[in-house]
């Protein structure tokens, strides 16, 4: 099947203000996609095909209402032949020993890392044209499967997002699938590896008593092992543009 012309492709990307999400948004625009971006800060991408929603994903009900109000109708435009969703925004807050975690902060982290990404998967499946190819990429991490002391909230939320994608994939091949759901819909849980971003900088800056693996990340940086955000961004965009799609797949950078 020939791919959709660029003007018929829309991607919803969270966390477009910096890091991997900003690189994904810029690359998509360079490749002719329309992009709907969400982050608290506005990166100021000057492009008529970029729409930005300044929203704080820590408050899931308010964020979901703002996103549906701003982008719901756009998603439903019958001109889209391909719709991408990149669940990229994440919070690595609520660090330190489990005994000291704050309940309100945990709810905020799960809102950004799990509740909104899962809700967005449903939104895109519910509002996009039925004939469109839907490609969802959820940014995962080694932390989804490896226990990092001091990062219980981040690790467990990444594990939850990975599983949410798996369950959604299984639902789509079950009697639970609503009849109006786009048929060509696939989900990838993608691990970008160690990437040179604000989040990496924060993990290098944490004290040993808060995050014992901080030294490992300082060593990675000292050895020049951090990838530029453009590298995973190119792979995410390739996943959005691919035709073949297992219902659910896992990929790592490289
Ligand atoms: N960097 C790595 O080495 C690495 C490794 C494995 C996995 N990952 C994953 O890759 C993804 C991108 O990471 P990154 O390193 O590029 O992170 P980053 O540089 O910290 O950027 C995170 C993005 O998420 C947005 N965001 C965070 N909290 C938000 C909130 N409450 N509301 C709205 N937007 C919010 C930020 O925008 P605002 O602050 O403007 O809101 C920013 O655009 C994440 O899912 C991360 O878990 C990264």
């Amino acid at each position: 099947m020939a791919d959709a012309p660029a003007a018929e492709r829309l991607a919803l990307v969270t966390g477009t203000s910096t890091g991997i999400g900003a690189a994904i948004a810029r690359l998509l625009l360079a490749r002719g996609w329309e992009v709907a971006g969400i982050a608290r800060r506005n990166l100021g991408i000057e492009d008529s095909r970029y729409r930005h929603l300044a929203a704080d994903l820590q408050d899931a009900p308010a964020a979901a209402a703002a996103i549906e109000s701003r982008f719901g109708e756009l998603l439903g435009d019958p001109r889209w032949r391909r719709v991408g969703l990149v669940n990229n925004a994440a919070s690595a807050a609520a660090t330190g020993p489990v005994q000291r975690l704050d309940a309100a902060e945990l709810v905020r982290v799960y809102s950004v890392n799990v509740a909104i990404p899962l809700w967005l998967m449903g939104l895109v499946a519910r509002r996009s044209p039925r004939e469109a190819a839907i490609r969802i990429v959820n940014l995962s991490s080694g932390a989804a499967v490896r226990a990092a002391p001091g990062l219980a909230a981040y690790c467990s939320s990444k594990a939850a997002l990975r599983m949410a994608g798996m369950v959604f994939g299984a639902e789509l091949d079950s009697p639970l699938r609503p009849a109006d759901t786009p048929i060509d819909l696939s989900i990838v849980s993608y691990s970008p590896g160690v990437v040179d971003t604000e989040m990496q900088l924060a993990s290098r800056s944490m004290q040993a008593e808060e995050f014992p693996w901080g030294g490992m990340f300082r060593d990675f940086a000292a050895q020049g092992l951090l990838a530029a955000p453009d590298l995973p961004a190119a792979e995410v965009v390739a996943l959005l543009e691919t035709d073949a799609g297992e219902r659910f797949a896992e990929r790592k950078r490289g």
Side-chain angles (χ1 to χ4, degrees), residues 215-231:
M216 180 177 77
F217 289 107
R218 285 189 282 279
D219 288 348
F220 286 159
Q223 291 164 31
L225 296 177
L226 273 54
D230 287 351
L231 255 76

Side-chain angles (χ1 to χ4, degrees), residues 72-220:
E73 217 168 292
L74 178 70
L75 278 167
D77 191 324
R79 94 184 117 126
W80 307 128
R81 290 176 55 194
R82 180 169 291 259
V83 176
L85 166 65
V86 185
N87 275 315
N88 165 79
S91 166
T95 55
V98 168
Q99 292 87 332
R100 292 214 299 266
L101 295 179
D102 175 73
E105 194 170 25
L106 286 173
V107 170
R108 291 193 290 271
V109 171
Y110 280 109
S111 174
V112 179
N113 295 7
V114 189
I116 284 293
L118 176 51
W119 179 81
L120 279 173
M121 286 194 267
L123 177 79
V124 164
R126 178 160 55 80
R127 301 288 302 238
S128 302
R130 187 167 189 270
E131 300 69 31
I134 313 295
R135 298 289 177 263
I136 296 174
V137 179
N138 294 329
L139 270 286
S140 191
S141 164
V145 291
R146 285 184 73 199
L151 287 188
Y154 181 74
C155 290
S156 58
S157 63
K158 284 295 181 189
L161 178 58
R162 173 176 179 263
M163 180 51 75
M166 292 172 87
V167 173
F168 187 40
E171 268 184 18
L172 292 172
D173 294 316
S174 83
L176 271 193
R177 174 203 184 91
D180 56 355
T181 305
I183 292 159
D184 183 6
L185 190 160
S186 59
I187 305 144
V188 176
S189 178
Y190 173 81
S191 287
V194 186
V195 186
D196 195 4
T197 65
E198 287 179 11
M199 186 179 279
Q200 261 304 315
L201 185 62
S203 60
R204 289 203 295 281
S205 315
M206 280 194 263
Q207 300 302 311
E209 55 272 25
E210 196 184 2
F211 179 46
W213 289 13
M216 180 177 77
F217 289 107
R218 285 189 282 279
D219 288 348
F220 286 159

